[in-house]
């Protein structure tokens, strides 16, 4: 139902646009991070995560048995760690995190084992998210204002 006061209409549309834009931007950033980490095998600083070596735990052999590549570390095994990295909402803010504490601990263990940050967004990922957010705010604001105009 449209609000009669035009300034209230604009204010409400701005809030709706910002909320939708935040959701789109953080989801896009997480998608980029997942590709970087789980497909490309790249840390937050742009360096490779390393190579799989013949280890006592036979991790390399288990990867081969599952049909997974072993030429570089990509942290993909059964998809559960990748799928656990999700968007959530805390109060009025969208956040990213792991669905369960055990996955956060697995991620921390991988960072400690490799001696580098992996699950933090890169500067480029953050910049693209901010750019997308700005574009999406404009788009969503236009959609909302046009819808309100049609309903008047």
């Amino acid at each position: 139902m449209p609000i009669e006061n035009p300034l209230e209409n604009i204010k409400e549309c701005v809030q709706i646009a910002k909320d939708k834009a935040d959701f789109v931007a953080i989801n896009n950033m997480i998608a980029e991070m997942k590709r970087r980490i789980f497909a490309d095998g790249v840390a937050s600083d742009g360096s490779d995560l390393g190579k799989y070596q013949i280890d006592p735990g036979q991790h390399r052999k288990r990867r081969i048995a599952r049909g997974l590549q072993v030429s570089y570390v990509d942290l993909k095994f059964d998809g559960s760690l990748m799928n656990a990295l999700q968007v959530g909402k805390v109060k009025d803010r969208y956040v990213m995190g792991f669905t369960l504490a055990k996955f956060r601990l697995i991620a921390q263990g991988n960072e400690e084992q490799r001696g580098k940050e992996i699950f933090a967004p890169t500067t480029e990922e953050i910049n693209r998210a901010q750019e997308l957010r700005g574009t999406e705010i404009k788009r969503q604001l236009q959609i909302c204002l046009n819808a309100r105009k049609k309903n008047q």
Side-chain angles (χ1 to χ4, degrees):
M1 179 172 203
I3 299 171
E4 295 301 322
N5 181 341
L7 290 177
E8 285 300 315
N9 255 341
I10 292 170
K11 184 178 174 183
E12 190 173 300
C13 281
V14 166
Q15 189 55 49
I16 290 167
K18 285 169 63 175
D19 188 62
K20 288 182 178 184
D22 287 347
F23 183 74
V24 168
I26 197 166
N27 271 291
N28 190 73
M29 185 174 70
I30 288 176
E32 287 187 17
M33 289 173 61
K34 286 180 177 183
R35 183 176 44 253
R36 171 178 53 81
I37 297 164
F38 299 104
D40 301 339
V42 175
S44 298
D45 65 2
S47 65
D48 291 340
L49 295 180
K51 303 279 184 213
Y52 287 111
Q53 304 192 1
I54 298 172
D55 60 317
Q58 304 296 317
H59 183 68
R60 190 173 192 274
K61 286 183 182 177
R62 287 193 304 264
R63 287 185 62 81
I64 291 169
R66 285 181 175 240
L68 299 170
Q69 66 81 25
V70 292
S71 58
Y72 61 92
V73 174
D74 64 8
L75 302 187
K76 188 186 298 179
F77 190 66
D78 65 5
S80 58
L81 182 60
M82 180 177 72
N83 292 333
L85 185 57
Q86 295 290 324
V87 174
K89 197 165 188 180
V90 176
K91 297 186 182 177
D92 291 339
R93 296 188 60 171
Y94 288 102
V95 296
M96 71 171 185
F98 292 97
T99 55
L100 297 172
K102 78 175 193 173
F103 293 115
R104 180 183 48 79
L105 294 172
I106 291 169
Q108 286 175 337
N110 274 292
E111 289 181 330
E112 289 168 8
Q113 181 182 11
R114 289 164 182 39
K116 50 181 89 176
E117 236 180 11
I118 299 169
F119 292 90
T122 66
T123 301
E124 294 82 11
E125 289 162 348
I126 292 168
N127 290 342
R128 281 191 294 274
Q130 289 173 336
E131 185 179 316
L132 177 59
R133 181 179 185 268
T135 301
E136 192 64 19
I137 286 173
K138 291 174 193 170
R139 190 176 85 77
Q140 291 294 335
L141 187 55
Q142 193 64 49
I143 289 168
C144 183
L145 292 173
N146 286 342
R148 303 276 171 117
K149 188 184 275 186
K150 285 179 184 179
N151 291 332
Q152 287 182 346

